[in-house]
Amino acid sequence: MFNIPEKPFGQYDILLKNGSGHLFSASVELACRDWNDERGRRTECRITLRWDNTEIQCIDGHFFGSFKQIRQQLALQDIYPICYGASRKIIVTGMALEMGLGLKVYKAALGSYPTRSDLVHIFATGEDVEPVTVEVQEEFHRQWLKSVKI
C-alpha cells in the first residue's frame, strides 16, 4: 500500500469563518490512491487543509469522508468552511461516494428529491451555503430521508 503513489486530484481555495464571523482564506489540496488487495479494491482520499500557519490532513475512503473529519477538527476551534460540503441542506448519495469519490453532493429541500441540476462540488460556494457542524448536517439528512419516506 505505501508503495502506491498518490495521484493529485486538484487544489481549491475556500473561505473559513470563525465563531466571531471573521473570514479568512484557506487552501485545500486533494490526492488519492487506489489498489487491489485480498479484500478487493481499496481507495484512500487525502485532503490537506492549510491556512495561516496551520495544516489539517485527513484520509478516508472518499473525499466527503475526509472533509467531514477535517470539519470535526475545525469545529473544535469554532471554525467552519464556507462551501457546499459543509452546508446544512445537502445530501450525499452512495453513487456520488462510489463513482465521484465524494466530491459532489446534492442541494436538497425537505419533501422533494434533488435533480441533476442540484449537484454541486463540495468545495464550491453560493449564496445558499449555510455552514454547520457535521452533526447538524447529518440531522438534516435524517430529516430529509423521513420527508421523502425512504
Side-chain angles (χ1 to χ4, degrees), residues 17-42:
K17 183 178 184 178
N18 67 16
S20 60
H22 178 73
L23 295 173
F24 44 100
S25 298
S27 68
V28 178
E29 180 183 291
L30 310 178
C32 187
R33 67 172 138 216
D34 62 342
W35 68 96
N36 292 310
D37 64 17
E38 63 279 351
R39 292 187 285 172
R41 185 171 180 197
R42 305 269 313 254

Side-chain angles (χ1 to χ4, degrees), residues 97-112:
L97 294 176
E98 195 65 31
M99 295 181 69
L101 294 175
L103 285 173
K104 298 230 175 158
V105 293
Y106 287 97
K107 296 190 284 183
L110 296 177
S112 64

Side-chain angles (χ1 to χ4, degrees), residues 11 114 143:
Q11 186 169 337
Q143 291 173 352

Side-chain angles (χ1 to χ4, degrees), residues 37-97:
D37 64 17
E38 63 279 351
R39 292 187 285 172
R41 185 171 180 197
R42 305 269 313 254
T43 303
E44 284 186 353
C45 296
R46 178 184 53 80
I47 295 179
T48 305
L49 174 70
R50 293 182 182 95
W51 78 98
D52 294 332
N53 293 321
T54 307
E55 179 179 294
I56 299 175
Q57 189 174 109
C58 291
I59 296 173
D60 197 283
H62 48 76
F63 289 113
F64 189 73
S66 297
F67 192 47
K68 279 175 54 174
Q69 292 177 41
I70 284 176
R71 291 173 51 216
Q72 288 169 325
Q73 291 184 42
L74 289 172
L76 297 173
Q77 301 173 56
D78 203 21
I79 298 173
Y80 303 91
I82 309 296
C83 58
Y84 285 112
S87 191
R88 176 188 305 267
K89 296 181 181 178
I90 62 104
I91 59 168
V92 64
T93 64
M95 182 182 281
L97 294 176

